[in-house]
Amino acid sequence: MAKQNLLLLPGDGIGTEIMVEVEKLIAHLNSTGQTDFDYDSGLVGGCAYDAHGAAISDADMEKALAADAVIFGAVGGPKWDDVPYEARPEAGLLRLRKDLGLFANLRPAICYPALADASSLKKEIVEGLDILIVRELTGGVYFGEPKEIIDLGDGQKRAIDTQVYDTYEIDRIARVAFELARTRDNRVSSAEKRNVMKSGVLWHEVVTQIHAADYADVKLDHILADNCAMQLVRNPNQFDVIVTDNLFGDILSDAAAMLTGSLGMLPSASLGAQDATTGKRKAMYEPVHGSAPDIAGQGMANPIAMIASFAMALRYSFEMIELADKVEAAIAAVLDDGLRTGDIMQAGGKKVTTAEMGDAIIAKL
Ligand code: NAD
């Protein structure tokens, strides 16, 4: 088995606590011969600012570029509220996304049976939920120019954001969605607003063309993004893979996330373009939540989002599908046993610490 290189970037706050559980998991998998991971660590966020005066150093950025996958914890906290804007903790995350060219953000929303009662929706609506939102991450209205506030001189100002998409940006994210659908239930819903936005017209056109040319075996639906939001809370189980732009993806993935309960349960992956020679993609895996300063350092953080993010790395960067399934099954099993960190605590649950939850998942493996 060839060595696989990981870079672990725990970051700040609970990031460091939940990353310990991933290190324990890697040690277990390596020692039982299931993997042969080599890993290095680096600093990102506030801790990197304290050490280097930047949210990520060039040396750690080099390590990230060389790694087969980056495993990221969380950054930020009140300690760094007043650092210069370009050195704020989130700048480390944004630089990683930019320099690694991570244009595809994958956010699964899976409802673990033991947590179906914790959803804000009725149990029968979320039970068995397993959807994947594929969000375009590097284009659209968050990056389009012009982006400015102009003083109109008559006591009025004008704010401008520009929604812009080129064919190649839609093409590559659509391909990621179709490829992923083939590994799941083989269905893609493409969400845009072609009724009122030119970018939606082009999005619809490009997705339709790529589907016809290369992915006709995948079932494709087009859905207006506002209807998609409604359908997500009405009948989320109708979806398999949803592909959408940066803005709609931001909103739809947060809505889908809450169907499943706590922030502490939600993993994500961000993928870049396929290398022409190796076929590998640059990739970063991270929980959706932040550094949770309110509970940091107390052993209260739920490590499941972090461990499930690592499972996504096994699945998407290393094609260790069976092992990823096993880790996800181990998470489901500890939840079935009633083990709960504070954020997902329910009547009758057994309250555990971050380390106890991590140990229990490894024991199930
Ligand atoms: P947050 O996600 O850190 O916390 C929101 C709430 O959820 C808190 O009550 C927290 O205790 C709880 N929570 C989050 N993750 C949890 C876990 N794994 N287990 C148990 N409870 C958990 O969001 P916030 O409070 O808005 O932000 C805190 C800091 O994190 C800020 O500095 C913010 O900028 C940063 N942040 C970073 C990221 C990132 O690194 N990707 C994302 C969001 C926010």
Side-chain angles (χ1 to χ4, degrees):
M1 198 188 307
K3 274 225 179 281
Q4 323 268 18
N5 293 305
L6 299 173
L7 177 67
L8 309 188
L9 295 175
D12 308 313
I14 63 167
T16 54
E17 299 167 59
I18 56 181
M19 193 64 83
V20 169
E21 303 312 310
V22 167
E23 288 185 55
K24 290 201 286 201
L25 178 56
I26 295 171
H28 166 77
L29 296 176
N30 277 351
S31 70
T32 49
Q34 300 184 77
T35 58
D36 192 8
F37 283 120
D38 226 358
Y39 68 88
D40 197 355
S41 300
L43 299 178
V44 66
C47 60
Y49 177 77
D50 290 345
H52 308 296
I56 184 162
S57 67
D58 291 342
D60 280 340
M61 201 56 237
E62 285 303 317
K63 286 188 201 170
L65 284 162
D68 293 318
V70 177
I71 314 292
F72 181 100
V75 292
K79 181 179 173 196
W80 300 285
D81 278 351
D82 298 322
V83 304
Y85 184 76
E86 59 290 353
R88 71 198 189 284
E90 288 79 4
L93 181 56
L94 296 180
R95 179 165 178 205
L96 282 159
R97 285 181 182 161
K98 183 162 173 286
D99 290 8
L100 295 174
L102 306 176
F103 67 85
N105 184 228
L106 278 48
R107 295 255 308 249
I110 295 169
C111 186
Y112 291 97
L115 293 183
D117 280 327
S119 172
S120 52
L121 295 190
K122 292 192 197 86
K123 186 175 175 176
E124 58 271 26
I125 291 183
V126 292
E127 225 162 22
L129 184 74
D130 181 1
I131 60 186
L132 180 66
I133 299 199
V134 179
R135 165 188 171 193
E136 201 289 326
L137 198 61
T138 52
V141 73
Y142 294 163
F143 297 98
E145 296 286 347
K147 185 178 205 55
E148 58 191 347
I149 298 177
I150 306 169
D151 197 331
L152 297 177
D154 56 357
Q156 294 286 307
K157 291 181 182 176
R158 177 172 297 152
I160 302 171
D161 292 292
T162 306
Q163 164 86 342
V164 51
Y165 272 107
D166 291 354
T167 305
Y168 80 94
E169 294 174 289
I170 305 169
D171 180 303
R172 64 185 183 178
I173 192 77
R175 287 181 191 281
V176 169
F178 286 127
E179 297 283 345
L180 290 171
R182 280 179 173 162
T183 69
R184 300 168 45 94
D185 201 33
N186 218 24
R187 295 182 291 122
V188 168
S189 305
S190 171
E192 30 63 15
K193 291 275 291 175
R194 65 187 180 282
N195 53 339
V196 287
M197 295 172 77
K198 290 293 179 194
S199 54
V201 173
L202 183 65
W203 186 280
H204 180 268
E205 187 183 307
V206 174
V207 172
T208 305
Q209 276 168 4
I210 289 162
H211 175 250
D214 294 326
Y215 298 97
D217 56 301
V218 181
K219 185 173 179 308
L220 171 66
D221 290 317
H222 297 278
I223 184 165
L224 295 176
D226 49 343
N227 184 27
C228 187
M230 261 199 291
Q231 296 301 327
L232 270 176
V233 289
R234 194 183 71 85
N235 176 20
N237 265 311
Q238 70 185 284
F239 295 110
D240 180 28
V241 175
I242 296 174
V243 63
T244 190
D245 76 8
N246 203 344
L247 172 65
F248 298 139
D250 195 359
I251 297 165
L252 293 174
S253 60
D254 270 19
M258 279 324 290
L259 303 176
T260 69
S262 162
L263 214 46
M265 301 291 301
L266 298 166
S268 80
S270 301
L271 307 179
Q274 232 164 356
D275 185 282
T277 42
T278 64
K280 292 208 115 199
R281 293 179 188 276
K282 294 262 181 282
M284 185 160 82
Y285 299 87
E286 55 178 309
V288 167
H289 62 73
S291 58
D294 53 333
I295 58 164
Q298 301 171 50
M300 290 168 67
N302 185 347
I304 291 180
M306 184 77 256
I307 291 172
S309 300
F310 180 72
M312 289 186 84
L314 296 174
R315 186 180 299 282
Y316 296 117
S317 281
F318 303 110
E319 289 173 25
M320 298 177 182
I321 312 295
E322 272 178 40
L323 193 54
D325 287 345
K326 267 174 74 177
V327 174
E328 285 163 5
I331 293 171
V334 297
L335 293 171
D336 281 344
D337 286 350
L339 267 52
R340 299 283 186 272
T341 43
D343 58 313
I344 52 172
M345 191 61 194
Q346 289 165 310
K350 178 172 181 291
K351 195 157 175 191
V352 293
T353 64
T354 308
E356 286 166 343
M357 183 62 100
D359 291 342
I361 291 169
I362 292 172
K364 283 289 176 192
L365 279 170

